[in-house]
Amino acid sequence: MTKPQRYSAGAMFFHWTIAVLVIWNWRLAENANHAGDRAQAMAIFADHKAIGILILVLTVFRLIWRLTHPVPPLPGNYAPWERILARTTHIVFYVLLLALPIGAWLANSLAGRDIDMFGLFTIPALPVGRNEGLAETIFGIHGTGGEIMIYLIGLHILGALKHTFFDKDGGIFRMLPFGRVGKERSSLR
């Protein structure tokens, strides 16, 4: 019995939904940082925070999905450094997808702020007490983590394009429901 070369429909759903939300949230943060006034920035950041919590929830479900559904093996033609880079990138993605929203929730809590979920309900502040200085430090780390996430997305896209168009192993089609996934070539690397 051969292992599937393509990710499951559930994995594709989580991958693409979270990817779109992360990029959208990055753009919201950029827009908020360049807003004309504080009220406009806070309104944009309210959406940014709500989407961050949504990303956190989807990531938890994505991890559960990943643990309960088989993941296709990396193609056999990957060099050892490509295998290490692919695995490391995915681990860092998961860490950031969890740590960024949790860190922002903690920072908001330290600043005494709840998180409004698009006017539908409110996520209360964590019971951590107020500490504006620590909140600002965590927000700074959150911003740096967000920048790392964007660079990592760029690296991920470049890798998918390399494998699809140069190596011709169907890299990007492993995470799409269409397209030709390249034939698995065995390798003893």
Side-chain angles (χ1 to χ4, degrees):
M1 187 168 148
T2 63
K3 288 189 176 185
Q5 293 181 338
R6 197 180 301 272
Y7 282 86
S8 67
M12 289 181 202
F13 166 79
F14 286 119
H15 177 273
W16 292 109
T17 302
I18 292 170
V20 167
L21 289 173
V22 165
I23 292 169
W24 182 14
N25 225 17
W26 165 61
R27 292 307 311 150
L28 283 173
E30 289 296 310
N31 290 342
N33 286 328
H34 296 97
D37 59 53
R38 180 166 170 74
Q40 183 184 18
M42 295 312 288
I44 296 169
F45 270 128
D47 288 342
H48 175 80
K49 293 173 191 180
I51 291 171
I53 294 296
L54 185 57
I55 290 168
L56 175 61
V57 170
L58 288 170
T59 299
V60 169
F61 281 113
R62 180 180 182 174
L63 284 168
I64 292 168
W65 185 271
R66 185 177 175 105
L67 293 173
T68 59
H69 292 78
V71 175
L74 291 173
N77 62 314
Y78 279 26
W81 68 267
E82 290 174 307
R83 290 178 175 283
I84 292 168
L85 184 59
R87 296 288 185 225
T88 302
T89 300
H90 282 98
I91 290 168
V92 174
F93 267 135
Y94 282 117
V95 168
L96 289 173
L97 288 168
L98 294 169
L100 287 173
I102 290 171
W105 186 11
L106 175 61
N108 276 284
S109 299
L110 289 164
R113 294 188 288 251
D114 297 334
I115 298 174
D116 176 63
M117 292 300 291
F118 307 110
L120 300 173
F121 59 92
T122 301
I123 306 243
L126 297 167
V128 292
R130 287 187 69 121
N131 186 331
E132 295 284 339
L134 183 55
E136 286 305 313
T137 299
I138 294 171
F139 279 131
I141 294 167
H142 176 81
T144 301
E147 289 177 20
I148 292 168
M149 174 72 84
I150 294 304
Y151 290 124
L152 204 57
I153 289 169
L155 177 66
H156 186 63
I157 291 169
L158 287 174
L161 294 174
K162 173 197 176 287
H163 286 288
T164 301
F165 298 110
F166 293 103
D167 299 340
K168 302 201 185 299
D169 61 19
I172 200 167
F173 298 115
R174 290 166 41 90
M175 191 51 86
L176 290 170
F178 56 85
R180 184 176 170 277
V181 177
K183 293 189 180 200
E184 180 74 22
R185 290 179 275 175
S186 64
S187 171
L188 298 175
R189 294 184 209 192

